[in-house]
Amino acid sequence: MTLDTVRFREILSAFHPEAVSPAHADAISELVQLTLDSDGREDVDEIQAFFALGKAVYAMANIANAATPSFVTGDEDHERMRELVGHLTTTPSKELAFACAHLLSISDVDIAPEEDQFLTDLRDALSIGEERAEAITAQLNAAITPPA
């Protein structure tokens, strides 16, 4: 199973119906890249999902046809994650970041233990409670699951 990446913007708009600021789009995209890198593997489905998510997030920021940047810093991933989370100032942006990270982690249908731990750490850094995170993931899973 592969995710229908064309629907990412539609799916994500449920979490952030208003326009995303360009600064939030950058922070969210970089958080998604940290999620991609968290398991140390380069999976084709995840890489494709990363670029599709970036395109969707930048479109939500009204930046049409933006190339999804790749971010490289010398920072330790969790340190960088906490710094990026500090740039997200609204609950919808925080939930959008978590939703994007979750979508990326399931894009290869196999959430590695390192990805799962990163998602937990991200959830905590974003101050999203466990119950709310479960609701977000359930909503995402329902949105991506084809009808029976």
Side-chain angles (χ1 to χ4, degrees), residues 38-139:
S38 67
D39 66 358
R41 295 183 296 171
E42 292 191 9
D43 179 86
V44 172
D45 289 334
E46 283 185 336
I47 292 168
Q48 289 174 340
F50 167 70
F51 286 106
L53 281 164
K55 185 175 181 84
V57 170
Y58 283 108
M60 292 171 72
N62 296 316
I63 303 172
N65 300 315
T68 302
S70 294
F71 304 91
V72 179
T73 70
D75 296 340
E76 190 269 325
D77 286 351
H78 279 71
E79 179 183 313
R80 184 67 182 146
M81 173 186 58
R82 286 185 292 278
E83 182 182 333
L84 291 165
V85 164
H87 295 289
L88 301 175
T89 55
T90 67
T91 298
S93 288
K94 291 176 182 183
E95 290 185 355
L96 178 61
F98 182 76
C100 287
H102 179 75
L103 276 175
L104 179 81
S105 71
I106 63 173
S107 64
D108 64 352
V109 192
D110 177 35
I111 298 179
E114 299 88 354
E115 286 174 319
D116 191 45
Q117 184 60 55
F118 187 85
L119 287 172
T120 299
D121 295 343
L122 178 60
R123 183 199 77 212
D124 291 344
L126 291 165
S127 300
I128 296 174
E130 192 171 331
E131 203 170 285
R132 179 62 185 142
E134 287 174 7
I136 291 169
T137 58
Q139 186 175 345

Side-chain angles (χ1 to χ4, degrees), residues 9-21 24 28 60 90-97 99:
R9 183 174 182 185
E10 170 193 337
I11 292 166
L12 295 173
S13 291
F15 298 98
H16 201 299
E18 307 85 33
V20 176
S21 76
H24 284 190
I28 291 167
M60 292 171 72
T90 67
T91 298
S93 288
K94 291 176 182 183
E95 290 185 355
L96 178 61

